[in-house]
Amino acid sequence: MQKKLQGIVSLGEALSHPLRLKLICMLADREWYVYELAKELDVSRQVLYLHLKRLEKADIVESDLRLEEDDMRAKKFFKLKEFDIELDVKDLKNIFETETITKKN
């Protein structure tokens, strides 16, 4: 699989905050309703959504909007997607060599 520069940058940004790393650990155990997550982490839902959006952009988590049987409000649940991170210097060289060739043409 050829890695793209923007994907690597998004992943790096997603992993660059302690709260997002904590979210990954929590979501590895089970899916969470956003309100429960905010309460457990003692952060506002607005702040939590910003962090979860960053993780979604990096394709690490996914969300699901649903109606519960006992409550007719829409609730947003988040869960961890399976992912594997592997990056080495060869990947970076390949990206920048390809970019250089593209610019020359």
Side-chain angles (χ1 to χ4, degrees):
M1 178 182 86
Q2 184 179 2
K3 296 173 176 66
K4 302 285 184 196
L5 183 58
Q6 189 54 48
I8 293 169
V9 170
S10 291
L11 184 59
E13 289 173 349
L15 299 175
S16 69
H17 195 281
L19 181 59
R20 290 193 286 271
L21 294 173
K22 175 74 173 172
L23 283 167
I24 290 169
C25 288
M26 291 175 73
L27 293 169
D29 294 331
R30 67 177 179 95
E31 72 176 8
W32 285 78
Y33 169 45
V34 74
Y35 178 79
E36 294 173 321
L37 265 175
K39 192 173 178 180
E40 181 75 21
L41 294 168
D42 195 29
V43 297
S44 71
R45 282 179 284 173
Q46 292 82 2
V47 168
L48 184 61
Y49 272 120
L50 291 173
H51 289 287
L52 288 165
K53 245 187 188 337
R54 185 68 57 94
L55 292 171
E56 275 188 308
K57 182 181 176 186
D59 208 28
I60 294 174
V61 302
E62 61 187 357
S63 62
D64 181 32
L65 193 61
R66 62 177 90 128
L67 293 174
E68 296 290 296
E69 290 180 21
D70 59 338
D71 188 353
M72 293 308 294
R73 291 180 295 166
K75 294 183 176 180
K76 196 163 195 176
F77 289 82
F78 285 86
K79 66 181 179 180
L80 189 68
K81 294 175 77 172
E82 281 199 35
F83 68 93
D84 185 32
I85 301 169
E86 185 177 319
L87 177 67
D88 60 31
V89 174
K90 289 179 191 174
D91 294 319
L92 295 174
K93 285 184 177 185
N94 185 37
I95 288 169
F96 289 110
E97 287 171 2
T98 303
E99 196 173 278
T100 302
I101 291 169
T102 305
K103 286 181 179 179
K104 287 181 181 178
N105 294 330

